[in-house]
């Protein structure tokens, strides 16, 4: 290969496809592990605020024109018990979806609040939402809403989020916001 070689666009395309396939394989492995209940140690203290700030910093490093607002109840420490890497993966998937399916440019509101022993994390974007008849299938493996045609994805991200949250004793829900 030499500089100026006409094969460069083909090599770039091949590299992008390899990266896409690598993400799909990683997603499938994560999903398989979660389905097999392999994450056995779910008792490490995780500061959710620190984790959210870390994942947002990472998001901002590779996403342009994203408006992101964070709201929390003022506590410096909102701690949960679990596996930090799994929780990071869930946050990454949620934030990535908010960027991918949000409006143009994406505007994301993230809210964290504690109520007794429970912690609620809410992410709201300015996207078109999901057709109401399809909302109940949103966390199923391979499900893609009918209004997402032409947007890259395999229907694994929210299924992984749901399994991670369930493995941590939580639950997921989604709803369209009133525009």
């Amino acid at each position: 290969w030499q500089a100026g070689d006409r094969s460069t666009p083909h090599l770039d395309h091949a590299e992008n496809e390899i990266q896409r396939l690598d993400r799909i394989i990683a997603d499938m492995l994560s999903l398989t592990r979660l389905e097999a209940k392999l994450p056995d140690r779910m008792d490490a203290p995780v500061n959710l605020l620190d984790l959210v700030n870390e994942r947002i910093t990472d998001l901002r490093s590779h996403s342009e024109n994203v408006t992101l607002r964070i709201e929390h109840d003022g506590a410096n420490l909102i701690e949960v018990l679990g596996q930090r890497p799994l929780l990071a993966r869930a946050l990454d998937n949620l934030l990535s979806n908010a960027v991918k399916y949000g409006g143009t440019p994406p505007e994301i509101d993230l809210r964290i609040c504690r109520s007794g022993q429970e912690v609620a994390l809410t992410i709201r974007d300015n996207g078109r939402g999901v057709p109401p008849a399809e909302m109940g299938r949103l966390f199923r493996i391979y499900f893609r809403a009918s209004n997402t045609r032409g947007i890259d994805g395999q229907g694994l991200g929210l299924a992984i989020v749901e399994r991670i949250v369930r493995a941590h004793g939580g639950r997921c829900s989604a709803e369209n916001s009133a525009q």
Side-chain angles (χ1 to χ4, degrees):
W1 178 81
Q2 296 177 3
D5 188 349
R6 287 185 285 170
S7 65
T8 301
H10 298 292
L11 293 173
D12 290 343
H13 176 73
E15 182 177 350
N16 288 338
E17 284 300 302
I18 290 168
Q19 289 173 354
R20 185 179 70 80
L21 289 171
D22 188 49
R23 283 190 305 272
I24 292 170
I25 291 167
D27 285 347
M28 291 303 300
L29 286 172
S30 292
L31 201 51
T32 301
R33 287 184 184 116
L34 288 165
E35 290 294 318
K37 301 192 182 353
L38 291 180
D40 55 349
R41 299 281 314 193
M42 304 298 276
D43 58 357
V46 178
N47 182 334
L48 197 54
L49 288 177
D50 285 350
L51 184 61
V52 164
N53 285 322
E54 171 191 301
R55 302 324 310 147
I56 286 172
T57 298
D58 183 65
L59 173 75
R60 286 185 170 143
S61 74
H62 63 271
S63 297
E64 296 180 19
N65 301 321
V66 175
T67 300
L68 203 121
R69 293 174 289 273
I70 304 170
E71 181 184 337
H72 59 85
D73 58 14
N76 291 328
L77 176 69
I78 296 181
E79 196 169 79
V80 296
L81 296 178
Q83 282 191 18
R84 185 179 177 88
L86 287 176
L87 292 170
R89 178 67 181 271
L91 280 167
D92 286 345
N93 286 3
L94 290 169
L95 291 169
S96 173
N97 272 14
V99 169
K100 188 188 311 185
Y101 301 108
T104 306
E107 293 181 22
I108 302 167
D109 295 312
L110 189 146
R111 180 168 169 36
I112 307 170
C113 62
R114 178 180 284 287
S115 177
Q117 293 298 313
E118 291 190 353
V119 174
L121 185 137
T122 306
I123 295 180
R124 183 180 190 173
D125 63 45
N126 60 325
R128 61 185 133 198
V130 175
E134 299 175 11
M135 192 63 73
R137 297 182 299 189
L138 199 55
F139 295 101
R140 288 188 186 168
I141 299 171
Y142 303 121
F143 175 76
R144 302 220 40 231
S146 61
N147 63 349
T148 62
R149 306 280 191 266
I151 300 174
D152 188 38
Q154 285 71 46
L156 296 171
L158 290 180
I160 291 170
V161 168
E162 192 275 334
R163 275 126 181 112
I164 290 171
V165 170
R166 192 172 0 124
H168 284 82
R171 62 191 176 284
C172 290
S173 65
E175 61 186 45
N176 289 321
S177 61
Q179 297 286 331

